Amino acid sequence: MARWLLYILAAFGLLALVAAAAIVILLQTGVVTPEKLRLLAQYNPIATANQAPIVTSRIQTGLMPLKRRDVSLPPLGDGFVSGGGAFVELPDGLLVAERSGQFHFVQPDQEPPTVRKTAIAIEINQAGFDAYALANGYELKPGRSVGYAGLAMRLHDLLLLRDGKRLMASFTRWNDAKNCASLHIAITTLDLARATPAAGPWRDLYRTQPCLGLSTRKSKPFAGHQAGGRMIELPDGKVLFTVGDFKNDGEKRDLSTGDRDNDYGKTHLLDLETGAVARNYTVGHRNPQGLVQLQNGEIWSTEHGPSGGDEINRIDRGGDYGWPFATLGLGCGGCDWLIEGRQDGYVQPRWAFIPSIGISNLIEVRNFAPRWDGDLLVMSLYAETLFRIRLDDGRPMYAEAIKIGHRMRDIAQLADNRIVLWTDTGRLIFLTPDLAPAKADILAKALSPAAQAVVGDCSVCHVLQDGAPPEGRIPLWGVFGRDVASTPGADYSDALRQMGGRWTRPALDRYLENPAAAVPGTTMPYEGVTDPELRREVIDFLEALRYEG
């Protein structure tokens, strides 16, 4: 028995060595990158199903701290599969649709939170697409790894109309009879009298023309990730919606969105009363992922650029936004018909992210906190970061990056003013302002005036409060006893990274007395504190910057 156990252990050890060697080879050849490995580890179904159901934390932003509460649906739900989709707020909870078109009713504030599978579903016919593509020699990639859905039919957005009963959905569906796909917009009426919401039959209101067949590129038969599909209800009851180009830029597909006779790469206006669609409300879009109407009536959108140049646009009826003839992005592989880096003659974006962040949906903040109200919040997929955009007279002033650590698909502000993010890992992330006096502020008020001045100098470059610090900033919360230069993402100098050791009282005392002498090559522009009693008071303050017990 013992011998067989040794054999089994040796076999497992050999497999582990082979796997490790394979990973090393793939990393060295560039086929697999550390970032791809991280995404595979974070977004695969096994990982999402084993997330902690509830995680609470704190985020330190430039203007105020936030309380963060993550509710992970896969470990809670009845067969919930994460990735893509959208959500809307109902009177007693959230209605969340998976990318596949299956709906779940979530009550995140219950203890514990509840997730119930509903009878509401949309047929996207992914099985029909898979069967046709495989029969015709196309390669299909896993649809649930690293949030990848480029080859899939899928649900894109939900819109609960102001009457609180009618629900609209945008989605791509495969047509077996014609062997092609279209973006559809459909509507149903919700039944909210039951414990678990129900709905009547879905009725199609619109579908894009022409119906799209498969690409001649066998590795990428369909570009479902460039579908757009975002919807908003305007004050007159009409619905404005976006349609992506599905890579129909004239280069990667035969169809070009520069042709105004097709529905792709444009926004359109749907009259719910008559069913009429005013086509080409705006043109020249690649993949408009976000859409919002501000309190002042302006309509803004977000749009993916090609290998750079993600845009934030103000949408004005009749405008031509350039694509596929002009872009701020690069990397189209020698397309000489593109005006790269300029958009002369077209509507200019109000803001651009270069390099790309994988831009996603956006909202305007209202009644959240005075320091944020009126700002835009823009989500990202690739960057896994929330960006707060300050507007000044219709122009963005700056974009504050708030690291979230998940690909974000949808965003809304609830009736109680909480902000909710929906991620590709199946998390609902609730953000609320934390306006209570922070421990650092309370402790600082008890210091002598001289020590307060030193702490004030420290706060210019460092973060004193608890919570995930803004990108690059070095936190002093919990610094006492911490390994030197050990906070992930903080902007340490090379000299400090090579110092080693921990921030003990003697180490802090030497550093505060003369940073340049204690760590030659440090980039900290501070002359130091010569008074030993003043240094002791400051170190006492730093030691207190942690949770007790």
Side-chain angles (χ1 to χ4, degrees), residues 243-391:
V243 180
D245 73 345
F246 287 85
K247 285 191 180 292
N248 288 289
D249 52 19
E251 173 71 16
K252 300 179 181 67
R253 301 287 193 275
D254 294 333
L255 187 70
S256 171
T257 53
D259 181 354
R260 298 194 180 208
D261 289 335
N262 66 63
D263 289 347
Y264 299 96
K266 304 169 180 73
T267 68
H268 309 288
L269 190 63
L270 171 63
D271 188 328
L272 293 177
E273 296 298 323
T274 66
V277 176
R279 298 174 63 249
N280 300 347
Y281 187 91
T282 58
V283 301
H285 301 289
R286 184 173 181 266
N287 184 19
Q289 285 278 306
L291 198 61
V292 65
Q293 185 169 36
L294 308 187
Q295 294 184 85
N296 65 8
E298 293 179 349
I299 298 170
W300 288 57
S301 77
T302 58
E303 181 172 336
H304 282 269
S307 300
D310 285 353
E311 299 177 1
I312 300 177
N313 289 299
R314 193 182 75 182
I315 299 298
D316 295 317
R317 189 166 193 168
D320 185 341
Y321 291 78
W323 185 257
F325 305 114
T327 176
L328 296 175
L330 300 173
C332 71
C335 310
D336 56 9
W337 42 267
L338 273 177
I339 307 169
E340 295 180 340
R342 295 286 181 186
Q343 288 196 340
D344 298 336
Y346 300 96
V347 180
Q348 299 282 343
R350 292 303 176 102
W351 188 269
F353 290 93
I354 301 174
S356 294
I357 61 171
I359 204 163
S360 188
N361 202 5
L362 81 164
I363 62 169
E364 180 188 30
V365 181
R366 305 177 184 181
N367 301 315
F368 183 71
R371 297 175 182 179
W372 275 25
D373 288 346
D375 293 347
L376 300 181
L377 288 183
V378 177
M379 303 191 305
S380 66
L381 298 164
Y382 175 75
E384 299 181 337
T385 297
L386 184 67
F387 293 88
R388 182 178 62 85
I389 310 288
R390 171 59 51 87
L391 298 181

Side-chain angles (χ1 to χ4, degrees), residues 209-252:
Q209 297 294 337
C211 193
L212 298 175
L214 299 189
S215 165
T216 56
R217 300 177 69 187
K218 292 295 184 180
S219 62
K220 294 183 179 180
F222 190 73
H225 61 305
Q226 287 188 203
R230 196 66 67 184
M231 305 175 290
I232 57 171
E233 183 181 10
L234 301 181
D236 61 3
K238 295 178 181 178
V239 172
L240 183 68
F241 62 94
T242 72
V243 180
D245 73 345
F246 287 85
K247 285 191 180 292
N248 288 289
D249 52 19
E251 173 71 16
K252 300 179 181 67

Side-chain angles (χ1 to χ4, degrees), residues 387-527:
F387 293 88
R388 182 178 62 85
I389 310 288
R390 171 59 51 87
L391 298 181
D392 179 35
D393 194 25
R395 283 283 178 183
M397 291 174 60
Y398 60 83
E400 179 192 3
I402 303 168
K403 191 69 176 180
I404 298 297
H406 296 264
R407 291 167 55 91
M408 290 168 281
R409 187 67 56 176
D410 200 5
I411 183 172
Q413 191 168 359
L414 303 184
D416 63 8
N417 296 324
R418 285 182 295 174
I419 291 169
V420 187
L421 316 174
W422 171 238
T423 78
D424 278 357
T425 49
R427 290 190 180 205
L428 290 164
I429 299 177
F430 296 83
L431 302 178
T432 54
D434 187 359
L435 302 179
K439 183 175 182 180
D441 296 333
I442 296 171
L443 291 171
K445 288 180 180 179
L447 297 174
S448 67
Q452 287 186 23
V454 174
V455 169
D457 290 340
C458 293
S459 65
V460 172
C461 299
H462 297 278
V463 176
L464 303 178
Q465 316 294 355
D466 179 28
E471 192 78 19
R473 297 282 294 278
I474 299 175
L476 292 184
W477 179 275
V479 68
F480 192 95
R482 189 168 68 206
D483 288 344
V484 174
S486 60
T487 300
D491 190 16
Y492 296 108
S493 65
D494 292 338
L496 205 60
R497 292 184 185 279
Q498 296 168 9
M499 175 180 168
R502 290 189 174 186
W503 287 118
T504 60
R505 182 171 287 271
L508 285 168
D509 189 63
R510 287 193 300 272
Y511 192 70
L512 284 172
E513 181 179 13
N514 190 331
V519 184
T522 181
T523 57
M524 181 173 173
Y526 191 65
E527 294 180 356

